[in-house]
Amino acid sequence: MFTDCYCTQFRRSANQLTGIYDEALRPVGLKITQFSLLRAIERLGAATYNEIAAEAALDKTTISRNLKVLINAGWVTVSVPSEEDARYRSAQLSKEGVKKLRSAEPYWRVAQRLVEDGVQRFLNGPANQQLLEALEALQQVPLK
């Protein structure tokens, strides 16, 4: 059913996007949330949970819960520089995590192309750049 509410339309679109990526990544046993965290950790190198949360635009509780799955799978390792203070836990990809990420990238690219193809008719020029620019601009809208 159509609505002119941007928020509702973005939420519906976000749910559909998640489904597209989850389905594409199914052959390698990942969900898009897991893939995105693996990529964020790779971009950051060794990073605290707070740094990962900021990079992934998620709250620390969500990060902790999702990282636990990646740690249990052996894709992420965690070090604590000081036994007294676990707040500074640092996570990084393990060798298995790097392999998992590389094996998933072709499937992620399939999902990327599906999304680009789905919006191409509404854009002038390459969908990938325009879509990313529009989404980046939306993230910069000030909250008052």
Side-chain angles (χ1 to χ4, degrees):
M1 176 176 281
F2 177 78
T3 176
D4 62 352
C5 175
Y6 298 135
C7 187
T8 300
Q9 290 290 11
F10 271 100
R11 286 178 186 267
R12 288 177 181 170
S13 296
N15 286 337
Q16 184 66 19
L17 281 170
T18 298
I20 290 168
Y21 283 90
D22 282 351
E23 186 60 33
L25 292 167
R26 184 184 312 268
V28 291
L30 284 176
K31 293 193 171 291
I32 189 58
T33 51
Q34 297 165 331
F35 178 83
S36 296
L37 278 178
L38 290 172
R39 285 191 66 180
I41 295 167
E42 182 178 52
R43 280 191 303 273
L44 293 169
T48 66
Y49 283 29
N50 286 335
E51 291 167 333
I52 296 167
E55 175 69 16
L58 295 169
D59 64 81
K60 191 171 179 243
T61 305
T62 303
I63 289 295
S64 295
R65 187 174 54 248
N66 287 308
L67 279 177
K68 184 181 251 186
V69 173
L70 302 179
I71 293 164
N72 290 342
W75 302 328
V76 171
T77 59
V78 176
S79 60
V80 181
S82 167
E83 291 301 323
E84 299 92 38
D85 198 349
R87 290 179 299 172
Y88 298 103
R89 289 178 294 198
S90 178
Q92 62 186 40
L93 290 186
S94 66
K95 288 181 182 179
E96 294 80 16
V98 172
K99 281 194 243 179
K100 189 65 163 181
L101 187 54
R102 294 297 166 264
S103 73
E105 286 171 342
Y107 297 93
W108 172 81
R109 281 193 286 279
V110 167
Q112 289 280 101
R113 281 191 296 275
L114 285 171
V115 172
E116 289 170 4
D117 291 348
V119 299
Q120 181 61 57
R121 65 188 168 126
F122 300 102
L123 303 171
N124 296 322
N128 61 345
Q129 191 59 40
Q130 288 188 331
L131 184 56
L132 289 172
E133 287 174 10
L135 293 171
E136 286 283 333
L138 183 59
Q139 294 169 36
Q140 303 306 314
V141 172
L143 301 175
K144 294 191 179 190

